[in-house]
Amino acid sequence: MRTVTTWKFALSSKMLGYIWQYLFSSFLRFWFKWFLRHVTGKCELQRICSGYKQGAPRTSRAEYSLESSKSTVLRAAVSVEEDQVEECAMAIMKEKKVISQKDPEFKMSLQVCLWQISGYKRLYASVEDLRKQSFDCENNSHENMLLRNYQAVGRYRFQGDDPKTDFRGMGMLGLTNLIFFSEKYTEMARQVLSHSVHPKLGYSYAIVGINLTEMAYSLLRSGALKPHFYNTVSQSPKLEHFHQLYCYFAYEFDKFWIEEKPESIMEFNRYREKFHEKMKALLQEPDVSLCLTVDSKL
């Protein structure tokens, strides 16, 4: 009987939570914003831009405000083209009756938010396009990319004779990440490669790299990477910024793997998930910045 009562109480609490959320989003939020506008003389976006420093807390709140707005001008702003951000900011100011002389910093703060918000969407589209491009060993440019990688860090093995099998799923995104790491952080990449051939703790450098590309891609797709990019890129994040994040994952996973000392490569999936959870936890921090620091000893 006690179990049934507890279950009913939990269900009731959950339903009350849904009801409160619905009422706040559809009714109370409007009046709460109206009240604050009249008390402070500022619209919600102004209060966000003035109340938070540049970074994820400010941009995330601005994004929610724009997406929740009843105004089509504000809702469309989250997908504005990069070269139309200033024009969009001015349209928002006109819509919300913001006088620039009274709040001279608002326009630039809003523009930064718009660059970051819309830029994240464009970054995902660019990453997705690259992921959908299949590796083709008959394509000279693809083969040359593999050669560039070998020249930078040395030859490493794939699971089969045709790398296309390993790149399947991540396509050219996986190879582009490997090349970026090997050419941008050559000594670090060589250090990681040397660990991958360890007699006990070794792993497939290429396969692990492609797995880490998939991890970064899934976090990007889910929106979990927004805090990182909002904190580290002051305008629109580009493909290079995604590749930089991959480099962080590649180097940090290698350290994580060595420190954990798994019994064999057969435990890879378990440790991959453990590392994934660690990264997701870091991304919950409001000031998160997953940037690779070059070791001066290398």
Side-chain angles (χ1 to χ4, degrees):
M1 187 67 178
R2 180 180 299 176
T3 302
V4 173
T5 302
T6 302
W7 179 80
K8 287 182 176 179
F9 176 77
L11 183 61
S12 298
S13 299
K14 192 173 184 179
M15 287 299 296
L16 285 173
Y18 285 139
I19 292 170
W20 167 253
Q21 186 177 9
Y22 172 78
L23 287 173
F24 182 78
S25 61
S26 63
F27 181 73
L28 296 178
R29 187 171 183 273
F30 170 81
W31 289 109
F32 184 63
K33 288 168 58 180
W34 178 88
F35 173 76
L36 289 178
R37 176 71 188 254
H38 283 75
V39 170
T40 65
K42 294 182 178 181
C43 69
E44 183 176 49
L45 286 171
Q46 284 179 286
R47 296 194 299 272
I48 291 170
C49 287
S50 64
Y52 297 89
K53 65 180 182 179
Q54 181 178 318
R58 173 196 283 179
T59 302
S60 296
R61 285 170 172 80
E63 184 173 15
Y64 177 77
S65 178
L66 292 167
E67 291 178 337
S68 304
S69 176
K70 297 182 183 298
S71 166
T72 55
V73 173
L74 270 67
R75 290 200 305 274
V78 298
S79 301
V80 66
E81 293 298 323
E82 188 171 6
D83 60 352
Q84 297 176 345
V85 163
E86 183 176 4
E87 181 181 343
C88 181
M90 292 176 67
I92 290 173
M93 292 174 70
K94 181 179 179 180
E95 177 84 359
K96 303 305 292 184
K97 298 180 175 59
V98 177
I99 300 173
S100 58
Q101 289 83 355
K102 291 185 177 180
D103 193 349
E105 296 181 0
F106 174 66
K107 181 184 173 185
M108 181 51 66
S109 297
L110 178 60
Q111 285 181 204
V112 171
C113 291
L114 295 179
W115 273 316
Q116 293 179 320
I117 295 166
S118 60
Y120 190 92
K121 295 177 183 295
R122 286 190 296 274
L123 172 61
Y124 173 70
S126 298
V127 167
E128 182 69 356
D129 286 345
L130 193 54
R131 185 189 71 86
K132 288 180 178 178
Q133 294 178 31
S134 299
F135 176 84
D136 182 2
C137 60
E138 300 298 323
N139 187 314
N140 287 334
S141 66
H142 292 186
E143 284 293 301
N144 287 336
M145 289 176 72
L146 270 182
L147 180 60
R148 282 169 51 193
N149 207 38
Y150 293 153
Q151 289 173 337
V153 298
R155 183 170 293 273
Y156 50 83
R157 294 181 56 175
F158 288 89
Q159 284 186 322
D161 295 330
D162 187 355
K164 180 178 180 179
T165 304
D166 295 323
F167 286 121
R168 187 176 299 151
M170 288 298 106
M172 291 301 292
L173 180 64
L175 178 55
T176 307
N177 275 340
L178 286 169
I179 291 173
F180 188 92
F181 185 40
S182 66
E183 293 185 341
K184 186 75 173 179
Y185 301 101
T186 304
E187 293 306 314
M188 285 186 170
R190 287 175 177 172
Q191 182 188 83
V192 171
L193 181 60
S194 70
H195 292 164
S196 73
V197 295
H198 188 278
K200 179 173 174 57
L201 299 175
Y203 54 83
S204 171
Y205 178 85
I207 303 306
V208 168
I210 295 166
N211 266 271
L212 294 173
T213 291
E214 191 280 329
M215 183 185 299
Y217 167 76
S218 65
L219 289 169
L220 179 74
R221 182 179 58 187
S222 70
L225 291 181
K226 286 181 179 180
H228 162 72
F229 286 120
Y230 292 169
N231 282 329
T232 57
V233 185
S234 60
Q235 293 194 356
S236 297
K238 309 292 185 184
L239 263 175
E240 180 179 353
H241 298 115
F242 180 81
H243 298 326
Q244 290 277 6
L245 177 73
Y246 165 82
C247 295
Y248 174 87
F249 281 175
Y251 189 70
E252 289 298 318
F253 178 80
D254 178 68
K255 289 199 302 183
F256 172 81
W257 180 264
I258 298 299
E259 289 169 359
E260 291 288 327
K261 294 182 174 60
E263 289 296 320
S264 74
I265 191 61
M266 300 303 293
E267 294 188 278
F268 172 74
N269 286 337
R270 183 164 74 89
Y271 283 96
R272 178 193 183 279
E273 281 307 304
K274 190 174 180 180
F275 181 75
H276 193 180
E277 292 301 317
K278 179 181 179 180
M279 293 300 103
K280 288 195 291 186
L282 288 176
L283 289 165
Q284 296 295 316
E285 299 294 329
D287 59 347
V288 61
S289 178
L290 306 182
C291 295
L292 183 59
T293 302
V294 177
D295 191 339
S296 59
K297 297 180 182 179
L298 294 179

